[in-house]
Amino acid sequence: ARDAQRFADWGVDFMKVDWCHTAGLRGRTTYPKWTEAIRATRRPMVLSICEWSRDKPWEWAGSVGHMWRTTSDIADTWASVMDIAARQADLHEYAGPDHWNDPDMLEVGNGGMSDEEYRTHFSLWAMLAAPLVAGNDVRAMSEGARAILTAPEVLAVDQDPRGSQARRVRRDDVSEVWARPLADGTHAVLLVNRGDARANVVARWDEVLDAKGSRRGNVRDLWERADVGERDGYYDRTLAPHACALVKVAFT
């Protein structure tokens, strides 16, 4: 309680409580003590729960904190990003306004991946409605990293007020498709090529909407910030290795 009050006195807005040196403790019984301590200060503070998913925080942390780590620490590698993304596929029902799954900070600009891979990383986190915490040195970053981190239409997906986390609606050997409904009635759809060769990736509207029947949709490319046009039943793109396409679809 004294620590929480000290942070409040300092004007702290965001508190991450890590899980180091906690032998013999459980997250679901320890973190509520921090919740009560913060409430007692009467200063609103975001509580970030970080026990690396050991106690399945998505099952209990929604009434305790505002965000919770869903995996162990991220690394600046393509394999790490895709492994973490895969672990979010069944967690969409637990996320929403003021209670978010946290797949860890962003690695954009740290040098371990290509800009193409960083765009896919950033797109996945945006689709997951993830808290976006820049993990690079923001004082000295490349123009490529800056363009990714400030892409307005991609950021708008992450910050959409409906707060729905994307579902993974299709996955095969080399590709996957994620979809999430947005507050304005449209859908964000992400096509990803996980493979090491160029691949055609298809997003089918019945899978995006989880409903049978033929549908047409007006498509906008959110990275290019350009309208693509109307597509009947599906949208497909041939993508470079580890690349993605992030689009917004208004169904008719």
Side-chain angles (χ1 to χ4, degrees):
R2 286 181 296 178
D3 289 337
Q5 187 59 57
R6 183 175 293 112
F7 295 149
D9 293 342
W10 290 344
V12 168
D13 296 315
F14 181 99
M15 185 189 303
K16 178 182 177 182
V17 180
D18 226 325
W19 198 240
C20 302
H21 310 295
T22 53
L25 299 177
R26 290 194 68 188
R28 67 179 67 213
T29 55
T30 300
Y31 280 103
K33 297 176 182 178
W34 277 102
T35 306
E36 292 305 315
I38 291 171
R39 286 175 180 161
T41 71
R42 299 185 179 277
R43 177 179 178 80
M45 285 183 269
V46 172
L47 175 58
S48 173
I49 293 170
C50 181
E51 46 83 90
W52 312 302
S53 78
R54 293 181 178 180
D55 211 4
K56 297 182 178 179
W58 48 87
E59 294 181 350
W60 52 266
S63 61
V64 176
H66 301 90
M67 51 192 280
W68 48 86
R69 283 278 298 281
T70 55
T71 66
S72 56
D73 291 349
I74 193 172
D76 187 17
T77 67
W78 173 251
S80 176
V81 166
M82 295 312 297
D83 176 68
I84 288 175
R87 294 173 186 271
Q88 315 308 305
D90 297 324
L91 301 182
H92 54 88
E93 65 183 280
Y94 298 102
D98 293 327
H99 56 281
W100 310 103
N101 292 311
D102 177 13
D104 206 0
M105 66 180 183
L106 295 161
E107 292 287 356
V108 175
N110 282 331
M113 290 182 275
S114 67
D115 280 354
E116 196 82 83
E117 291 169 331
Y118 283 138
R119 273 190 291 273
T120 301
H121 171 24
F122 194 69
S123 298
L124 279 162
W125 265 230
M127 289 293 285
L128 294 170
L132 299 180
V133 180
N136 62 314
D137 185 349
V138 297
R139 301 167 301 174
M141 58 179 159
S142 69
E143 286 305 311
R146 186 186 303 275
I148 292 168
L149 292 172
T150 60
E153 296 190 29
V154 181
L155 285 168
V157 170
D158 180 81
Q159 298 292 301
D160 183 73
R162 177 167 173 164
S164 296
Q165 179 174 311
R167 296 178 299 115
R168 190 175 64 190
V169 300
R170 172 183 286 257
R171 187 180 192 277
D172 59 27
D173 290 344
V174 298
S175 68
E176 55 194 62
V177 177
W178 297 72
R180 64 175 285 192
L182 303 176
D184 64 0
T186 64
H187 285 70
V189 181
L190 177 66
L191 296 75
V192 178
N193 177 11
R194 297 192 320 276
D196 296 327
R198 293 179 67 82
N200 185 255
V201 184
V202 181
R204 303 188 184 281
W205 297 158
D206 58 347
E207 294 175 338
V208 168
L209 295 169
D210 195 22
K212 295 181 179 179
S214 178
R215 297 292 294 268
R216 300 178 70 87
N218 290 304
V219 179
R220 179 173 177 82
D221 188 312
L222 300 186
W223 280 108
E224 297 298 326
R225 299 166 67 182
D227 292 331
V228 176
E230 191 174 56
R231 294 293 186 271
D232 187 3
Y234 69 94
Y235 176 71
D236 70 322
R237 283 275 289 275
T238 298
L239 298 172
H242 302 178
C244 74
L246 179 58
V247 299
K248 185 176 182 179
V249 186
F251 290 103
T252 58

